[in-house]
Amino acid sequence: MLFFSFFKTLTQQTVTVELKNDISIRGTLKSVDQYLNIKLDDIVVLDELKYPHLSSVKNVFIRGSVVRYVHLPPDKVDRGLLEDACRREAMAQKGKAA
Amino acid sequence: MENLSLNDPPPSSPQRQPNAVLPGVPSQGPPQLPPQMFTTAAQLLDLTDKKLLLVLRDGRKIFGILRSWDQFANLVLTETRERYFVSIPGSTSTDALSATASKDAPTLSANTSLSTSTLPRNMYCDIPRGTYLVRGENVLLLGEVDLDRDDDPPPGYELGDVEEVFRLHRAIELEKKRKDKIRARKIGQLWGGEIEGSGEVLF
């Protein structure tokens, strides 16, 4: 659930989502859910000529399972915080397992 | 289905923690949004009964009206039209394409039609397909169609004859399938044994 929460903090930021079929879509992150499905607003497709079908589309719902990367604005990511949270979650998991 | 609206207060949790996963840290951004905003249901609810573009994992593009869905993104679309796109490269590259095609597979007659045109052309066509029920795992993305821009052809593309576009599309798909098969066989020889699922074209 860590990354779900993490993505929730990034709503309203401009991100680029790269899909497993190589399409890259840039837009404003509107929402994310437990499967890391992503909703983007005001989208721009990089390399539009190659992917003409999205020309009349303004916002998209992307299924989490087909996402390869999400490019994030570096200044909006608190890496220390993320590392901390990761350790915390790992500890919690360990505690549960024991 | 639960009748939640986005304006409802969050479920009766004792005064929501500022940040459940990163405790003790004031959360950034707009975390005060109700948690039901961040569900599959909320995301798809806005798209219901709207004209959408559905892209499937096998590359199909389907325009239709979203009527029903569930948490796995299993979808029902009605009044669908499947849109085909073909790009025919200019004369030099078409010759190259047909030359390789005839060298590798002399019987591939479908490709000969590609060499008849000399100018690069981009065409699309729509074919009505009725109602679709799509299993969620095959969904790549769902896009809301901007109705103001809906009637404009995609930039750089022109509406082509259905028969012709369909035929060219099929020829290109066959060619791609053939290449994928060769690649899969080579990989199989290199690594020993076929890779699982390599026979079908995904995405």
Side-chain angles (χ1 to χ4, degrees):
Chain A
M1 293 296 271
L2 196 151
F3 282 93
F4 176 38
S5 304
F6 172 62
F7 274 114
K8 279 206 272 188
T9 68
L10 287 168
T11 46
Q12 308 305 327
Q13 305 298 337
T14 303
V15 298
T16 307
V17 180
E18 187 179 324
L19 307 187
K20 288 185 190 166
N21 66 350
D22 297 334
I23 302 185
S24 290
I25 303 170
R26 183 162 53 222
T28 312
L29 183 67
K30 290 311 265 191
S31 165
V32 64
D33 67 19
Q34 53 169 333
Y35 305 108
L36 304 187
N37 297 330
I38 288 173
K39 222 171 161 183
L40 294 179
D41 217 342
D42 299 319
I43 60 151
V44 182
V45 181
L46 317 182
D47 200 1
E48 179 142 5
L49 255 191
K50 218 172 135 194
Y51 307 108
H53 52 282
L54 288 167
S55 64
S56 62
V57 171
K58 51 185 174 183
N59 61 57
V60 288
F61 165 87
I62 302 169
R63 198 166 194 270
S65 63
V66 301
V67 173
R68 185 182 287 144
Y69 301 118
V70 182
H71 306 247
L72 309 166
D75 53 313
K76 295 292 187 287
V77 180
D78 187 339
R79 236 180 54 201
L81 188 69
L82 200 58
E83 284 168 14
D84 234 45
C86 181
R87 286 198 197 97
R88 236 181 269 261
E89 185 145 296
M91 290 289 272
Q93 292 278 324
K94 222 163 97 185
K96 236 182 260 173
Chain B
M1 203 196 312
E2 272 184 288
N3 269 324
L4 288 172
S5 107
L6 294 183
N7 303 320
D8 287 345
S12 58
S13 58
Q15 210 29 268
R16 232 154 64 79
Q17 294 162 276
N19 199 322
V21 170
L22 317 175
V25 182
S27 40
Q28 334 147 293
Q32 261 47 271
L33 293 168
Q36 65 261 38
M37 282 254 336
F38 297 104
T39 58
T40 321
Q43 294 184 4
L44 288 171
L45 196 58
D46 313 345
L47 299 175
T48 315
D49 295 329
K50 292 205 170 111
K51 183 168 179 185
L52 303 179
L53 162 69
L54 167 67
V55 184
L56 295 182
R57 227 159 48 134
D58 64 358
R60 272 186 258 193
K61 286 106 193 160
I62 294 157
F63 287 86
I65 303 167
L66 181 65
R67 293 303 189 187
S68 189
W69 42 267
D70 65 12
Q71 73 270 35
F72 306 111
N74 296 322
L75 308 170
V76 176
L77 281 95
T78 58
E79 295 167 57
T80 60
R81 304 173 73 80
E82 185 171 353
R83 185 164 285 185
Y84 291 89
F85 291 92
V86 285
S87 292
I88 309 160
S91 54
T92 48
S93 42
T94 19
D95 289 347
L97 179 68
S98 52
T100 50
S102 55
K103 190 177 67 190
D104 292 345
T107 51
L108 201 73
S109 57
N111 257 304
T112 51
S113 55
L114 288 176
S115 56
T116 54
S117 101
T118 48
L119 280 172
R121 285 176 75 197
N122 295 319
M123 292 188 296
Y124 73 98
C125 76
D126 283 349
I127 299 176
R129 292 288 191 212
T131 299
Y132 260 88
L133 195 162
V134 182
R135 187 173 159 89
E137 63 181 330
N138 301 302
V139 173
L140 199 78
L141 62 83
L142 265 179
E144 187 180 341
V145 174
D146 186 349
L147 293 173
D148 295 335
R149 278 184 283 169
D150 189 23
D151 293 329
D152 310 337
Y157 281 73
E158 52 174 321
L159 188 62
D161 174 55
V162 173
E163 291 280 321
E164 190 189 5
V165 173
F166 188 72
R167 193 168 44 83
L168 290 170
H169 186 268
R170 212 176 143 67
I172 290 167
E173 287 282 290
L174 279 174
E175 174 68 9
K176 209 167 107 192
K177 229 175 203 165
R178 199 180 57 82
K179 277 189 178 151
D180 278 0
K181 217 169 183 175
I182 292 170
R183 189 185 300 149
R185 207 170 46 224
K186 279 184 183 157
I187 291 172
Q189 282 162 3
L190 270 175
W191 294 88
E194 290 260 314
I195 308 288
E196 195 186 336
S198 58
E200 55 189 314
V201 188
L202 290 178
F203 304 118

